[in-house]
Amino acid sequence: MFWKKLENIYRLGVKELWSLWRDPAMLFLIIFIFTFAVYSSASSTPETLNNAPIAIVDEDQSPLSQRIVSAFYPPYFTYPEMININEMDKGMDAGQYTFALNIPANFQRDVLAGKSSALQLNVDATRMTQAFSGSGYIQQMIQSEVNEFVAGYRTTSSLPVELELRAQFNPALEKKWFGSLMQIVNNVTMLSIILTGAALIREREHGTIEHLLVMPVTVFEIMLAKVWSMGVVVLIAASVSLHFVVMGLLDVPVQGSVALFICGAALSLFATTSMGIFLATMAKSMPQFGLLIVLILMPLQMLSGGTTPRENMPDIVQNIMFFAPTTHFVDMGQAILFRGAGIEVVWQPFLCMFLIGLVFFYFAFKRFKETIHTMA
């Protein structure tokens, strides 16, 4: 009897895989988010200032103004475009420049005379990340050039204490190291919920769920088949992306055991696939299911610690998110992939994901059983 149940679970899972294979939209989604989405997340939209376009209106035409102009160069800024005052507003309105600096006439004379003088910096705030960091860069650069010009020489202050900076696990502070690995973690959660929920809704819309009800299979076998089949698909896609996109194309070094990370991902999938089934039983159509995913997935990803450290969040948010599988999945993934941690370090996240998965699976099974009986 036990082996018969295992055979039923296996064959029902194979049926799910064949259904997925005949769904080109889902296949495209899997390939896209584990290839292009991972690569673009790691290599685009840098958090640091990078080649920000800047234009300068030099009405002073003095050695000091020329010194300020020459301070802007790649990789932080593009080479400054020298424009006149009439072109500044037009260029900002057209989105040609992120920054437009206006150096007024008699600027050097006022600085040398000790008079108060002001520069005007126009910032395109729609480019929020670069506008925020770039304005601070420009202020520091101008202040440094003015001080050195007034002093007549370039100097650096010497402190009695020397600070040696050691960046652990990411010596060059490469954003793509963090972005690519965290994107895989987020994609595992997102895709597992989508695939399992879509598989159930697809059967309901096509009427094949009624065929299953007349077969000698139990609700537990049907649900477990969906969990293992969609989980295997996500694990294979994540493994391929980790080896060929992250470690190969992006050349990101993975410190820990990939096999241990995949085992942890399987425990997280136990909970998230159950969550996908639960949401699918609540939705009556695929559009409703999509709206439910938005309401659930955004908090899971944004508050799990993958985007913002959990220590920066309010205590009530930290306490609530402790019962989310993504919190422990992110903790486990960062420890293994970034710091090379072993099972002796990550056994607690493993245990938490297993227990949370059991709870999620129970409620999803209960809801799925009620839905099946209602349809029968």
Side-chain angles (χ1 to χ4, degrees):
M1 187 66 177
F2 174 74
W3 296 109
K4 182 62 176 178
K5 289 181 176 295
L6 287 182
E7 183 181 2
N8 290 340
I9 294 172
Y10 169 74
R11 293 188 180 279
L12 289 172
V14 172
K15 177 191 72 68
E16 297 292 340
L17 294 177
W18 278 112
S19 299
L20 178 63
W21 180 255
R22 292 190 291 268
D23 191 336
M26 284 299 176
L27 292 177
F28 175 79
L29 177 64
I30 296 171
I31 295 173
F32 175 82
I33 68 172
F34 277 108
T35 54
F36 181 79
V38 173
Y39 182 84
S40 62
S41 175
S43 58
S44 64
T45 317
E47 295 177 354
T48 56
L49 198 64
N50 183 48
N51 285 331
I54 183 172
I56 298 179
V57 179
D58 187 2
E59 297 180 306
D60 192 32
Q61 296 294 326
S62 64
L64 177 56
S65 66
Q66 292 299 316
R67 183 178 182 134
I68 293 174
V69 171
S70 63
F72 297 96
Y73 50 83
Y76 297 115
F77 300 91
T78 60
Y79 289 104
E81 182 174 345
M82 306 307 297
I83 60 176
N84 58 52
I85 191 66
N86 296 324
E87 298 174 322
M88 184 171 65
D89 289 339
K90 294 181 180 179
M92 293 292 292
D93 293 341
Q96 297 177 3
Y97 322 118
T98 303
F99 306 99
L101 178 65
N102 184 10
I103 304 176
N106 302 321
F107 174 66
Q108 177 178 307
R109 186 190 67 183
D110 294 341
V111 168
L112 295 177
K115 297 180 180 180
S116 178
S117 183
L119 302 179
Q120 183 187 62
L121 177 64
N122 296 276
V123 182
D124 184 357
T126 60
R127 300 169 181 176
M128 185 178 63
T129 303
Q130 291 201 341
F132 178 77
S133 59
S135 58
Y137 270 71
I138 294 174
Q139 182 178 356
Q140 294 178 8
M141 293 167 64
I142 293 176
Q143 188 68 39
S144 176
E145 294 298 332
V146 171
N147 291 339
E148 292 172 0
F149 180 82
V150 173
Y153 61 93
R154 190 180 298 269
T155 182
T156 57
S157 59
S158 178
L159 299 176
V161 178
E162 184 177 358
L163 179 65
E164 289 288 344
L165 176 63
R166 295 183 179 180
Q168 295 288 339
F169 315 115
N170 189 354
L173 301 179
E174 291 282 350
K175 174 186 176 294
K176 68 178 182 180
W177 289 20
F178 179 84
S180 59
L181 295 175
M182 282 299 96
Q183 186 67 20
I184 288 182
V185 170
N186 290 334
N187 287 347
V188 167
T189 301
M190 177 181 67
L191 194 62
S192 60
I193 295 177
I194 292 177
L195 288 182
T196 49
L200 179 57
I201 294 178
R202 182 171 54 241
E203 284 190 339
R204 185 192 305 160
E205 293 178 345
H206 294 170
T208 55
I209 191 70
E210 286 83 357
H211 298 166
L212 293 176
L213 297 178
V214 299
M215 296 177 62
V217 294
T218 64
V219 177
F220 178 81
E221 294 170 358
I222 297 174
M223 179 174 171
L224 199 58
K226 296 182 183 298
V227 169
W228 83 255
S229 58
M230 297 300 102
V232 166
V233 171
V234 175
L235 287 179
I236 293 176
S239 301
V240 172
S241 178
L242 193 59
H243 281 90
F244 292 99
V245 179
V246 176
M247 301 171 63
L249 189 60
L250 293 171
D251 195 25
V252 176
V254 173
Q255 302 297 329
S257 170
V258 175
L260 184 61
F261 170 75
I262 295 300
C263 291
L267 288 178
S268 178
L269 286 169
F270 180 45
T272 53
T273 51
S274 301
M275 190 184 303
I277 293 176
F278 184 84
L279 294 177
T281 59
M282 298 180 64
K284 296 181 179 179
S285 63
M286 194 67 76
Q288 287 186 5
F289 178 65
L291 292 176
L292 286 175
I293 288 180
V294 173
L295 294 175
I296 298 298
L297 194 61
M298 293 298 290
L300 284 179
Q301 293 187 347
M302 296 182 65
L303 303 179
S304 62
T307 303
T308 303
R310 294 184 66 241
E311 294 77 10
N312 296 349
M313 303 177 189
D315 291 340
I316 186 173
V317 176
Q318 295 186 41
N319 295 333
I320 293 174
M321 290 304 297
F322 181 81
F323 299 98
T326 51
T327 299
H328 306 284
F329 186 32
V330 169
D331 187 19
M332 178 273 300
Q334 291 180 347
I336 295 175
L337 300 178
F338 295 155
R339 301 188 292 272
I343 188 63
E344 68 280 358
V345 176
V346 298
W347 68 269
Q348 289 183 337
F350 272 58
L351 179 61
C352 290
M353 286 188 293
F354 176 71
L355 296 177
I356 294 173
L358 286 178
V359 174
F360 279 30
F361 185 87
Y362 169 77
F363 284 104
F365 171 72
K366 186 177 180 181
R367 173 72 183 180
F368 184 46
K369 189 174 181 179
E370 293 174 355
T371 304
I372 291 292
H373 289 166
T374 301
M375 296 179 60

